[in-house]
Amino acid sequence: MAGVNKVILVGHLGKDPEIRHLEGGASVANFTLATSETYTRDGKRVEQTEWHNIVVWRGLADVAAKYLKKGELVYVEGKLRTRSYDDKNGTKRYVTEIVADNFNMLGRRGASGDEGTDTSSHKSASDYQEPQVDYSADSSDDLPF
C-alpha cells in the first residue's frame, strides 16, 4: 500500500508572498503561515503558535502573489517536503516546508490582529468576509522533484 503525505492548515499569513521567476519560466512563491492552538496549563490559558513555510509553484504562485496579504486567514492543502542544501560554509542544512497544491482565502484578519500596520482601512473579520475562492494547482503542473 502506498503512503499518504497530506497536510491541511488553516492560519494567518505571516508575510506577503515573495515570488521568484526561474530561468525555465516557472514561478515559485514562498510565505509563512501561523497556526495557533490554546490550552490550559496550571489554570492559565496558554497559546502556542507554530510557523509553517509554504511553497506554491507556477500559476498558483502567481495567484498567491497577487491576492494573498499578510494577516489574512487562509486554508492550505499540500504535502510535506524536507530538502537539504549546503550553506555558504559548506554545512548541510535541512528545510521542511509545505508544498501547497491548493489554497482558499477565508477572510481578512481584523484590525485588532494587525500589529504594527496601519489598520484604518481594515474591517474586522465579522464585518468583512472575502468571497471564498478556491485556487487549485492544475493537475498538469507536476512539481520539479
Side-chain angles (χ1 to χ4, degrees), residues 111 114-122:
D114 289 326
E115 295 180 22
T117 307
D118 177 13
T119 59
S120 58
S121 65
H122 293 247

Side-chain angles (χ1 to χ4, degrees), residues 25-43:
S27 301
V28 60
N30 300 69
F31 57 91
T32 57
L33 192 74
T35 57
S36 297
E37 59 182 299
T38 57
Y39 58 92
T40 304
R41 180 188 298 168
D42 300 328

